[in-house]
Amino acid sequence: MSGGVEWALHCCVVLTSVDEPAPAARLAQLHDVSPSYLAKQLQALSRAGLVRSVQGKAGGYVLTRPPSEITVLDVVEAIDGPGPAFTCTEIRQRGPMATPPEACTAPCAISRAMANAEAQWRAALRAVSIADLADGVRGDYGPGALAGIGAWFKAADG
Amino acid sequence: MSGGVEWALHCCVVLTSVDEPAPAARLAQLHDVSPSYLAKQLQALSRAGLVRSVQGKAGGYVLTRPPSEITVLDVVEAIDGPGPAFTCTEIRQRGPMATPPEACTAPCAISRAMANAEAQWRAALRAVSIADLADGVRGDYGPGALAGIGAWFKAADG
DNA sequence: GGTACTCGGATACGTTGTGTCCGAGTCAAG
DNA sequence: CTTGACTCGGACACAACGTATCCGAGTACC
């Protein structure tokens, strides 16, 4: 899985606690990661419609929906792509003992098992929202953690 | 995910219906895939202890356990590696607003959500055995399908 | 003892992910 | 209205992993 997913999720949680647009460079400075590469991930979130970009002097990124309406699965699919990780090549239709195509209307047993497992995975990610993650952070480090980050964004530098 | 997982799973199902050792070249011929590359996957299965290789003139691969004792997860981990797909970089400990290390005894909320989803995925794969896959194939194409493949292995050519 | 067949690891190639850069567009200020 | 500076957006190199291949070591059979 792409490592940029972690960055994108952290950025979404941070965007929960800031009301003004947050520039990509500032988010990169906060997490101490490559600004150029983080910009790429935020562009992907923008294409997926999860965040909205405002340009100009005081521009940046803002969430398009309330955090409770954005699931972790949305972010993962925006970065890694919506396609399933396992792709069936239909090798059962190849070779000397190939299964005839008329018998291949339904996916094979292997494909079904993998698809079912991925469905479970997606369901678990769909059940968690960005708001839930923010609540988890508050529960771990206290309510002041996210508030402090929100205040840091307004300050000149860190 | 590595595409070789599909090949390995198909090979394990086929090995269910053959009692004599099956050479890698023959399995590749059956599936119409690259013999050299399939050999690499079978070597991975051998290292994981799922199959045992017998050398010599009538050599090949055989399952080390009954098919009901080999799970799909075992095969996936043997090919793709046992490590989790999502790896937490602990970026919360970096940057100007870094979380102090003494507060990072437990994984962060994001890491927990991803780990939970992967646990669901693994559980689904662990619940399906190679014997279950073979039963599914028999249910789809009739009992003669796997038996025919077993007979094909004894024949001279296909 | 010879032979032919098998696996096993070491070796190139291609694609995807990673990281970076500069230009187009836009809002704010003067 | 002009200027300016800051923002995003897409296009451009680099690296790592997955893909594909080959030849040598070992073994059972003849």
Side-chain angles (χ1 to χ4, degrees), chain B residues 15-124:
Chain B
L15 287 178
T16 301
S17 61
V18 293
D19 286 336
E20 304 173 2
R26 204 74 203 264
L27 288 164
Q29 183 185 6
L30 173 66
H31 300 326
D32 189 22
V33 297
S34 169
S36 311
Y37 190 37
L38 183 64
K40 197 180 191 60
Q41 317 296 347
L42 292 170
Q43 284 173 29
L45 293 180
S46 178
R47 288 179 208 166
L50 301 180
V51 300
R52 191 60 185 169
S53 67
V54 294
Q55 294 216 349
K57 184 154 183 143
Y61 289 98
V62 288
L63 295 175
T64 54
R65 296 184 178 189
S68 59
E69 300 290 334
I70 301 176
T71 70
V72 176
L73 181 63
D74 291 332
V75 178
V76 172
E77 286 186 343
I79 304 295
D80 258 28
F86 177 86
T87 55
C88 185
T89 316
E90 288 292 337
I91 64 177
R92 61 178 172 173
Q93 299 189 27
R94 301 172 56 179
M97 297 295 283
T99 305
E102 63 259 21
C104 296
T105 56
C108 67
I110 292 173
S111 182
R112 281 178 300 202
M114 301 300 275
N116 180 44
E118 285 202 16
Q120 298 281 94
W121 178 73
R122 289 191 187 185

Side-chain angles (χ1 to χ4, degrees), chain A:
Chain A
M1 171 174 315
S2 173
V5 172
E6 184 187 6
W7 299 7
L9 286 170
H10 273 270
C11 286
C12 286
V13 173
V14 168
L15 287 178
T16 300
S17 60
V18 293
D19 287 337
E20 304 174 3
R26 204 72 203 264
L27 287 165
Q29 183 185 4
L30 174 65
H31 300 325
D32 190 19
V33 296
S34 169
S36 311
Y37 192 37
L38 182 64
K40 198 181 192 62
Q41 316 296 346
L42 292 170
Q43 284 172 29
L45 293 180
S46 177
R47 287 179 209 166
L50 301 180
V51 301
R52 190 62 184 171
S53 67
V54 295
Q55 293 215 350
K57 185 154 182 146
Y61 289 98
V62 288
L63 295 175
T64 55
R65 296 183 179 190
S68 59
E69 300 291 332
I70 301 176
T71 69
V72 175
L73 180 63
D74 292 331
V75 178
V76 172
E77 286 186 344
I79 303 296
D80 258 27
F86 177 85
T87 55
C88 185
T89 317
E90 288 291 338
I91 64 177
R92 61 179 172 175
Q93 297 189 28
R94 301 173 56 179
M97 296 296 284
T99 305
E102 64 260 21
C104 295
T105 56
C108 67
I110 292 173
S111 181
R112 281 179 301 205
M114 301 300 274
N116 180 44
E118 286 202 14
Q120 298 280 97
W121 179 73
R122 289 192 187 185
L125 292 183
R126 200 194 307 272
V128 181
S129 69
I130 299 297
D132 295 332
L133 291 180
D135 289 345
V137 170
R138 274 186 282 264
D140 288 345
Y141 316 125
L146 284 176
I149 290 178
W152 176 85
F153 263 84
K154 293 179 168 52
D157 202 345

